Amino acid sequence: MSASKQKKLNTMEVDPNDEDSSSSDDDDDDEPHPDAYRGNEEVQIDFEGRAPVDPDAQGISQLLQRLFLRAHINCNQMADLIIAQNYVGSVICQCDDDVAESETDDENMVEDGTVFGITSVLNLTAKKDQPSIAQLRTYLLDRAKSHASEQVQQQLREILDSDQRHVGFLVNERFINIPAQISVPLLQNLQQEIEAAKAKKMKFDFGSLLLLVKFYRKEAKKGKPAEDNFTNAEDELLSDRAKFSFEYSVASETDSGMSGDWLEGDAVMTPYRKLLVLDAKQLPQLIDDIQGFINGE
């Protein structure tokens, strides 16, 4: 796949407010300017998936930082690895037509060159000597030691230590207000690119795929069970289909203003991470299932 590949995705209506946004009415007596942004507005944007290129490095790194938070992982170097294998994976960006039209639009709320998401895969076996990959492997094993059962710890060690069956780390990050439907063409495209790379004897023949997902938990209270809300809707289905998994709170690693130390009524939403171990051979079926899950089928 060349760096010039482009795939136009469906038009998405995006709420420019996300969990980092806040509003206040300091002066109820002042009439708002007729052109002032009032919140809860929708911006219609055409997205496209294309191969990552060098100018995307900062945007990809920022998405990785949201995933790993304060972990000792060099997200800049990991972003460079993703870009270096631009024959596999896609970034989500604004279509060029929309960018051109917005150059004269004073109300444009999207910066040119913004990376809205990244879907790719990194080989944790073949690239284990790369600093960021070595750091990621250590991070996952350390978290498993603290939060997973002995059985899960052993299974994870065996997968990561095997040189016979390579392990891929699936990266599937995007802005929180990007609709889940966009995940299907991105994952379909990734699967096709993995197959094309395997046909060329490249190191993308994975036995297992690891996926670290984000979710928030409304803790159990007053007889009500805990409720999990996944940041990416498709991760709920993937969580159910994982061969095994473990989870851990990252409340101590987030700033309340960024993570959403949210209150929903009287229930605190606690940020978590969950490592899923998926069967790589099942990826095509999982993508089909995601499409049905998102469409409510």
Side-chain angles (χ1 to χ4, degrees):
M1 180 185 69
S2 68
S4 62
K5 71 151 189 181
Q6 292 186 342
K7 183 172 184 179
K8 190 167 183 177
L9 304 170
N10 291 333
T11 299
M12 301 292 180
E13 290 185 346
V14 178
D15 180 355
N17 282 336
D18 61 17
E19 76 275 21
D20 300 341
S21 300
S22 62
S23 62
S24 62
D25 295 322
D26 295 329
D27 189 352
D28 293 336
D29 296 331
D30 289 342
E31 283 292 329
H33 188 278
D35 294 330
Y37 176 66
R38 294 173 174 79
N40 297 321
E41 298 176 12
E42 290 183 342
V43 179
Q44 194 166 2
I45 301 173
D46 281 341
F47 291 115
E48 66 181 9
R50 59 162 173 78
V53 292
D54 289 342
D56 299 326
Q58 182 178 1
I60 296 172
S61 178
Q62 289 173 346
L63 288 166
L64 293 172
Q65 288 167 16
R66 294 184 185 185
L67 177 65
F68 298 125
L69 299 173
R70 297 178 184 175
H72 181 62
I73 296 174
N74 189 332
C75 293
N76 290 333
Q77 200 251 347
M78 187 175 290
D80 289 340
L81 290 178
I82 290 172
I83 293 170
Q85 57 175 36
N86 63 6
Y87 42 83
V88 170
S90 304
V91 292
I92 307 172
C93 58
Q94 188 178 4
C95 287
D96 290 340
D97 291 345
D98 283 357
V99 173
E101 291 174 2
S102 66
E103 287 178 352
T104 58
D105 186 354
D106 293 336
E107 296 180 357
N108 179 42
M109 302 182 67
V110 180
E111 294 183 7
D112 292 352
T114 298
V115 175
F116 290 91
I118 174 69
T119 299
S120 191
V121 64
L122 289 165
N123 191 322
L124 299 190
T125 307
K127 298 181 183 293
K128 62 183 178 182
D129 294 329
Q130 292 285 342
S132 61
I133 301 301
Q135 292 164 352
L136 174 58
R137 290 167 62 99
T138 298
Y139 170 78
L140 296 177
L141 289 170
D142 286 348
R143 290 297 182 275
K145 186 176 181 181
S146 300
H147 302 283
S149 66
E150 286 288 344
Q151 180 182 4
V152 168
Q153 290 181 51
Q154 181 178 350
Q155 289 175 305
L156 183 60
R157 284 194 299 267
E158 289 175 353
I159 285 175
L160 290 175
D161 290 343
S162 174
D163 290 327
Q164 301 301 315
R165 298 294 291 165
H166 285 202
V167 181
F169 183 75
L170 186 59
V171 179
N172 187 39
E173 291 297 308
R174 61 180 181 269
F175 282 17
I176 194 171
N177 50 0
I178 304 293
Q181 287 84 350
I182 203 170
S183 65
V184 175
L186 291 170
L187 289 170
Q188 289 173 336
N189 195 58
L190 178 65
Q191 171 64 22
Q192 293 168 4
E193 292 168 344
I194 289 174
E195 293 302 319
K198 286 165 57 177
K200 297 178 180 178
K201 307 300 183 183
M202 303 175 79
K203 296 181 179 179
F204 285 88
D205 188 7
F206 300 117
S208 298
L209 293 171
L210 307 186
L211 176 64
L212 189 63
V213 304
K214 307 190 294 285
F215 71 93
Y216 288 87
R217 173 164 293 163
K218 181 163 51 172
E219 303 295 349
K221 192 172 184 178
K222 297 180 180 179
K224 295 182 179 180
E227 180 181 328
D228 294 341
N229 297 279
F230 287 85
T231 304
N232 291 347
E234 67 272 17
D235 292 341
E236 181 179 353
L237 180 139
L238 293 174
S239 179
D240 291 338
R241 302 295 175 83
K243 293 194 296 183
F244 62 89
S245 63
F246 69 90
E247 65 189 42
Y248 51 95
S249 169
V250 291
S252 63
E253 301 177 42
T254 60
D255 298 323
S256 59
M258 293 185 64
S259 70
D261 187 12
W262 300 333
L263 291 177
E264 187 175 297
D266 58 353
V268 176
M269 302 288 283
T270 306
Y272 275 77
R273 296 293 181 269
K274 187 172 188 176
L275 182 70
L276 312 180
V277 180
L278 306 168
D279 185 345
K281 292 182 180 179
Q282 295 299 315
L283 184 57
Q285 182 61 53
L286 289 173
I287 296 170
D288 288 343
D289 292 343
I290 287 172
Q291 187 167 21
F293 177 77
I294 291 173
N295 294 334
E297 298 175 359

